[in-house]
């Protein structure tokens, strides 16, 4: 068996977790958002994307490989939980999701995001 397939085993285990008695997708969703705020989640996804397409200008600070692996598994677990919550009509209105970032944005990041919003944001 190819050694790279062993890296995929944790993703397969996510599907096994949903069959454990007492599994609650809401808990997995809340745990994800407690660990990653919206800004760090965006940064991880962009880092994974730029890691694949190369980032010669060094636009993003690259998290280490283990952080990205952990994030991708946590994100997959949250996506499965969201799917099951919607499939089984769980009430998502009372989710305890912190919307404030866990880290403060630097001036440069704030200007960059404001520029992005002005350029690509909602146009009414």
């Amino acid at each position: 068996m190819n050694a790279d397939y062993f890296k995929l085993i944790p993703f397969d285990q996510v599907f096994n977790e949903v069959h454990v008695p007492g599994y609650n997708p809401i808990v997995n969703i809340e745990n994800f958002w407690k660990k990653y705020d919206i800004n760090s989640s965006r940064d991880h996804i962009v880092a994974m994307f730029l890691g694949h397409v190369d980032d010669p200008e060094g636009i993003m600070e690259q998290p280490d490989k283990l952080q990205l692996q952990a994030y991708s598994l946590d994100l997959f677990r949250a996506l499965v939980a969201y799917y099951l919550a919607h499939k089984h009509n769980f009430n998502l209105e009372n989710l305890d999701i912190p919307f404030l970032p866990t880290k403060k944005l630097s001036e440069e990041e704030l200007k960059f995001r404001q520029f992005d919003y002005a350029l690509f944001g909602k146009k009414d």
Side-chain angles (χ1 to χ4, degrees):
M1 177 182 264
N2 186 334
D4 289 334
Y5 290 125
F6 286 106
K7 295 176 185 175
L8 300 177
I9 290 173
F11 289 93
D12 289 337
Q13 289 176 330
V14 169
F15 288 119
N16 292 333
E17 292 172 6
V18 303
H19 299 290
V20 172
Y23 172 82
N24 183 347
I26 302 298
V27 171
N28 280 354
I29 294 167
E30 287 176 338
N31 287 341
F32 176 83
W33 288 114
K34 286 177 185 170
K35 190 172 181 181
Y36 306 100
D37 62 60
I38 193 70
N39 291 327
S40 67
S41 190
R42 174 202 172 270
D43 292 346
H44 278 86
I45 291 170
V46 170
M48 287 188 290
F49 172 75
L50 291 177
H52 254 314
V53 298
D54 198 12
D55 183 20
E57 289 84 28
I59 295 171
M60 289 291 297
E61 178 182 328
Q62 292 289 325
D64 70 24
K65 188 174 182 177
L66 292 177
Q67 285 177 323
L68 289 178
Q69 288 173 342
Y71 176 78
S72 62
L73 185 59
D74 290 341
L75 178 62
F76 185 64
R77 184 174 283 113
L79 290 173
V80 169
Y82 271 110
Y83 170 78
L84 290 172
H86 284 290
K87 182 178 186 224
H88 297 292
N89 296 318
F90 278 74
N91 182 358
L92 301 177
E93 290 180 14
N94 297 322
L95 278 177
D96 183 22
I97 298 175
F99 288 106
L100 296 176
T102 56
K103 67 173 187 166
K104 196 170 188 170
L105 291 177
S106 71
E107 286 274 330
E108 188 175 327
E109 285 178 307
L110 190 56
K111 286 180 185 176
F112 181 71
R113 291 183 184 183
Q114 287 172 341
F115 174 75
D116 272 356
Y117 184 78
L119 190 59
F120 302 111
K122 188 175 177 182
K123 311 279 188 209
D124 284 28

